[in-house]
Amino acid sequence: VNVTEVTIYPVEQSGKLRAYASFVLDDRFAVHGCKVIETLPGRLTVCMPNRKVTMQCPKCHATGWDGVAGPAVTDDFCGRCGELMPSFDERTRDYRKPNGKLDVHRDVCHPLDRETRDAIAQAVLDKYREVAANGPEGAA
Ligand SMILES: [Zn+2]
């Protein structure tokens, strides 16, 4: 698969997020909402689009990904009806890693093999470094 187009949307430094990115595969399939993350100083990673795990609101029954906007497990209130959600510990109990850290993000889409993953990461990071060096207009 060839990455035929990459668009970088730099963000002012906020935590580890350096930019949002979109890319196109073989001029046929566009992916939006990727992130360029600086995991360690100078070490960049491309994250695929993801979403937070959602839950069903006990009052209005909104569930999130079946067509009705529902609360993420980390939301204190339902975004649809405003109902106060159960306690944070109760909501997130099933979404903890063995070390206790929260694990509430799920990929929306992702490459299935290393070759594709590397091709996407390289294309996005090459473009990111070009934009970071030349400014958003890409002058050079
Ligand atoms: Zn609700």
Side-chain angles (χ1 to χ4, degrees):
V1 70
N2 290 305
V3 181
T4 50
E5 189 180 327
V6 176
T7 308
I8 299 292
Y9 307 93
V11 297
E12 291 296 313
Q13 290 217 349
S14 64
K16 296 177 174 186
L17 177 64
R18 296 290 169 268
Y20 291 96
S22 299
F23 62 87
V24 176
L25 299 178
D26 289 334
D27 287 322
R28 287 167 178 263
F29 193 87
V31 177
H32 302 285
C34 300
K35 291 175 184 173
V36 176
I37 306 284
E38 191 167 7
T39 53
L40 294 169
R43 183 167 177 177
L44 298 168
T45 298
V46 177
C47 293
M48 289 296 112
N50 60 39
R51 62 178 176 84
K52 275 187 177 174
V53 172
T54 54
M55 56 182 283
Q56 185 168 48
C57 172
K59 186 177 179 190
C60 76
H61 305 296
T63 54
W65 282 79
D66 60 359
V68 188
V73 291
T74 51
D75 290 347
D76 292 329
F77 297 92
C78 174
R80 188 165 179 245
C81 75
E83 178 77 354
L84 178 66
M85 294 294 106
S87 78
F88 189 82
D89 286 347
E90 187 178 333
R91 280 179 274 140
T92 58
R93 188 175 46 215
D94 294 337
Y95 306 104
R96 297 272 176 184
K97 294 177 180 175
N99 65 9
K101 279 194 167 182
L102 274 181
D103 177 25
V104 296
H105 290 92
R106 298 291 179 268
D107 283 353
V108 171
C109 60
H110 59 89
L112 294 180
D113 59 51
R114 184 178 190 104
E115 184 187 355
T116 305
R117 186 173 62 220
D118 289 350
I120 291 167
Q122 184 171 348
V124 170
L125 293 180
D126 283 354
K127 185 72 172 185
Y128 170 76
R129 291 191 178 99
E130 182 188 321
V131 168
N134 299 331
E137 299 307 314

